[in-house]
Amino acid sequence: MPEAKRTATDVGSLSFEDALAELEQIVRGLESGQQKLEDAIAAYERGAALRRHCEAKLAEAQARVAVIVEQADGSLATRPME
Amino acid sequence: MDETRAAGNTPEYTVSEISGAVKRTLEGAFARVRVRGELTEVKRYPSGHIYFSLKDEGGKIAGIVWKSAVPRLGMVPENGVEVIATGRISAYGERSSYQLLVDRMEFAGAGALLARIEALRLRLLEEGLFEAARKRALPLLPRVIGVVSSERGAVIQDIRTTIARRFPRDVLLWPVPVQGEGAAERIAAAIAGFDAMAPGGAVPRPDVLIVARGGGSLEDLMAFNEEIVIRAAAACTIPLISAVGHETDTTLIDFVADRRAPTPTAAAEMAIPPRTELLAALAQTAARLAGGLGRLTQQCQLRLERAVRGLPDLPGLLGTARQRLDDRTERLDLALPGLLKLRRGAFALLSQRLSGALQQGMGRRQTAAGRVLARLSPAPLAALLREAAARLSGSGARLESVSPLAVLARGYALVTDPSGHPLTRAAAVAPGARLALRFADGSVAATADGKARGAARGPAQDDLLI
């Protein structure tokens, strides 16, 4: 049951792209009107969770500009750009 | 004796003296020179010095770049490239050979540069480095954007402001020199360095890379045409956008990049979509999600209602049956009297029609008899008689008109022999024959007194013709 497995995936761990793609898939499924009502409600609930996740991802808007610094031991560090 | 004479006129040098003298003369006469020629026999020694020859159609000269001069040389010598080498002439005393000591080297004009770039492009193309199948899609929403560029200058500022305007994201700059000696190596190392970062490490690994440089001359952009940079970009597993020079400039990194942007600003726009657009698209998708469920629920509701309507209405059915039974009972009660009444009515109607028919038949007969009696009268007979009388009188008149007697009345006379036979020909009358002339009112006896004259045509006729 790939459907059940997919549903079990934690929404929070999805990337924006994956969440958006799955949301789109759910919307298309609902719009086709072929699902059982029970499945449709479950799909809607998952869709709503995916939407919240996407919105949260879009809300994370931070603009830090850092400059890479190669340290003596070869490891990398950053310093803020002036 | 010749030798003695020669010795007398010509100064004698030791080998060292003459080679030293030549060296001094050469170095004094050609203090600093620029020599144009094609590089050949380029060899890099472990000592760090580079040995080569410069040649053209007519000659060849050896050259050296000392290790100390290599970093400031300006280019990496390669066989087959036409260059202008700057330096001085020097002789190598031990072998009495002279050579160029070069400290600057540049491509001999744009033609030479472009020829070298084109040769490299064809080689990498052959290798399949530029194939479309190698290109990767850019992520829709990168969390971190890596930039390989100069820390100073407009490029990083353009990228920063564009990203801040569209969708604020973390930007990681790997500062590199974008032109000059060692730039290509530093750029390649920066690309490889970003690629080598472990996901989830101390420094976040970028989801997309921008390799950018502002506009410049062909020579300024050369680092982005170097094989080491192209190979680093090709090997990089992070999707890479190139934005080198102005829109009209094309460098080899553009061929190997996953996307090519005309400017650094355009590269930033490719790397990140505008946040407002993403939010609007998400809102629309959310509306479709709710709409989809709403429609489905509505459909289910409708189907339920239809199904409910389809259930049999038992009390209703019973009521109908009851009503039908009552109806039949009532009609049964009424049926027999009704039938009798109907028959009686039919009988009365028939009786009526019978008597009516009899009267009508008699009436018709009387009328017909009347018509026959009226036609039975003497008038037609009288008419017939009148008609017969008229015809008779008509016939009498015609009979009269054709009677010979009537002709005689008009003055003609009928000639007969005495026995009364009519004589119709003159020849039949002999002279002295007895004739009878019959007139209308009686007969006169006559005698013929001449012979008949042969006149076929009667004189009467001649007379008529006169």
Side-chain angles (χ1 to χ4, degrees):
Chain A
M1 292 277 284
E3 189 78 7
K5 202 170 146 193
R6 187 176 59 79
T7 310
T9 312
D10 182 24
V11 169
S13 68
L14 289 173
S15 73
F16 179 81
E17 283 88 344
D18 290 346
L20 197 62
E22 196 188 331
L23 177 58
E24 182 65 26
Q25 193 186 337
I26 285 173
V27 166
R28 273 200 299 270
L30 275 179
E31 283 178 338
S32 78
Q34 301 299 308
Q35 279 166 315
K36 291 181 196 162
L37 188 58
E38 200 179 322
D39 292 346
I41 291 168
Y44 175 82
E45 280 166 0
R46 172 132 181 114
L50 288 165
R51 176 209 171 171
R52 280 193 300 276
H53 179 64
C54 286
E55 279 175 341
K57 285 267 175 192
L58 291 182
E60 290 169 8
Q62 57 178 19
R64 278 180 316 211
V65 182
V67 180
I68 302 253
V69 185
E70 285 174 276
Q71 286 171 319
D73 62 354
S75 69
L76 299 178
T78 59
R79 61 169 166 84
M81 196 169 171
E82 78 275 8
Chain B
M1 283 158 293
D2 282 354
E3 283 172 18
T4 316
R5 234 186 314 132
N9 294 340
T10 315
E12 186 183 301
Y13 293 98
T14 65
V15 172
S16 308
E17 279 167 358
I18 188 68
S19 71
V22 169
K23 183 177 161 81
R24 278 191 298 278
T25 308
L26 273 176
E27 289 179 357
F30 303 100
R32 190 156 178 84
V33 287
R34 277 162 61 83
V35 184
R36 185 189 187 115
E38 185 189 327
L39 279 171
T40 180
E41 297 160 11
V42 176
K43 247 186 208 167
R44 194 180 289 260
Y45 275 67
S47 59
H49 311 319
I50 299 171
Y51 291 81
F52 60 90
S53 293
L54 275 182
K55 63 167 185 181
D56 62 13
E57 303 80 30
K60 189 158 137 182
I61 182 171
I64 302 172
V65 182
W66 297 129
K67 183 188 176 186
S68 57
V70 168
R72 299 187 316 273
L73 189 62
M75 61 171 281
V76 179
E78 276 174 61
N79 284 327
V81 177
E82 194 170 356
V83 296
I84 297 169
T86 308
R88 58 194 175 89
I89 301 280
S90 176
Y92 179 40
E94 259 179 53
R95 279 195 282 155
S96 290
S97 60
Y98 66 90
Q99 60 214 354
L100 275 169
L101 297 181
V102 174
D103 50 41
R104 289 282 308 156
M105 201 181 273
E106 58 201 279
F107 290 99
L113 260 187
L114 289 172
R116 178 176 165 274
I117 294 168
E118 182 60 12
L120 179 59
R121 190 186 71 81
L122 290 176
R123 189 152 56 81
L124 297 179
L125 179 73
E126 188 96 345
E127 245 183 78
L129 243 58
F130 304 153
E131 268 168 29
R134 290 180 52 96
K135 311 271 182 219
R136 285 148 305 180
L138 303 181
L140 180 60
L141 183 59
R143 201 172 37 83
V144 179
I145 298 162
V147 179
V148 176
S149 192
S150 167
E151 191 175 351
R152 264 157 281 282
V155 170
I156 185 64
Q157 296 308 333
D158 286 351
I159 292 173
R160 257 177 101 162
T161 50
T162 305
I163 290 171
R165 169 169 54 81
R166 286 167 79 85
F167 197 148
R169 294 273 96 175
D170 285 350
V171 176
L172 262 182
L173 173 71
W174 196 304
V176 290
V178 291
Q179 70 186 80
E181 182 63 32
E185 287 74 13
R186 295 280 299 279
I187 293 164
I191 295 171
F194 270 136
D195 195 29
M197 283 181 179
V203 179
R205 189 177 195 259
D207 305 301
V208 64
L209 285 189
I210 298 173
V211 178
R213 190 211 187 282
S217 68
L218 183 59
E219 287 78 10
D220 292 343
L221 305 184
M222 270 313 281
F224 299 91
N225 285 315
E226 294 295 343
E227 188 170 352
I228 186 171
V229 172
I230 314 306
R231 291 204 180 277
C236 182
T237 57
I238 303 171
L240 188 147
I241 304 168
S242 71
V244 176
H246 293 303
E247 189 159 0
T248 47
D249 299 324
T250 301
T251 49
L252 291 186
I253 196 173
D254 294 331
F255 291 95
V256 79
D258 296 301
R259 291 287 295 277
R260 188 234 161 168
T263 60
T265 300
E269 284 170 354
M270 274 179 197
I272 190 96
R275 185 155 165 264
T276 49
E277 260 177 42
L278 284 178
L279 281 169
L282 186 63
Q284 204 192 351
T285 308
R288 280 170 62 198
L289 179 71
L293 185 67
R295 261 193 304 282
L296 193 68
T297 325
Q298 217 169 20
Q299 270 173 26
C300 289
Q301 184 71 37
L302 274 174
R303 277 170 60 195
L304 179 62
E305 280 169 18
R306 263 203 299 276
V308 167
R309 273 203 300 277
L311 275 178
D313 173 15
L314 214 51
L317 282 179
L318 274 176
T320 309
R322 179 84 247 164
Q323 207 174 347
R324 282 173 68 188
L325 181 60
D326 290 348
D327 176 58
R328 301 301 188 275
T329 311
E330 193 186 337
R331 280 160 65 189
L332 184 64
D333 292 346
L334 291 173
L336 198 55
L339 186 66
L340 281 173
K341 194 176 159 194
L342 208 66
R343 288 287 146 84
R344 218 174 277 132
F347 174 70
L349 198 66
L350 273 176
S351 309
Q352 217 170 24
R353 278 173 64 193
L354 184 62
S355 59
L358 191 61
Q359 278 169 2
Q360 208 175 14
M362 282 172 68
R364 252 204 310 269
R365 294 282 150 73
Q366 277 168 356
T367 313
R371 270 204 299 274
V372 171
L373 287 176
R375 280 159 61 191
L376 200 62
S377 86
L381 202 57
L384 274 175
L385 282 174
R386 271 196 305 277
E387 194 185 336
R391 274 162 60 191
L392 187 59
S393 105
S395 297
R398 284 207 331 261
L399 189 62
E400 208 58 38
S401 72
V402 296
S403 160
L405 296 180
V407 174
L408 296 183
R410 293 209 299 270
Y412 293 89
L414 178 66
V415 181
T416 65
D417 60 12
S419 56
H421 291 107
L423 296 169
T424 58
R425 289 157 48 91
V429 178
R434 303 290 297 166
L435 306 167
L437 301 177
R438 180 150 174 213
F439 295 93
D441 53 347
S443 290
V444 174
T447 307
D449 58 357
K451 217 180 166 170
R453 284 190 297 260
R457 290 172 215 116
Q461 223 165 12
D462 287 341
D463 291 346
L464 283 172
L465 289 169
I466 290 165

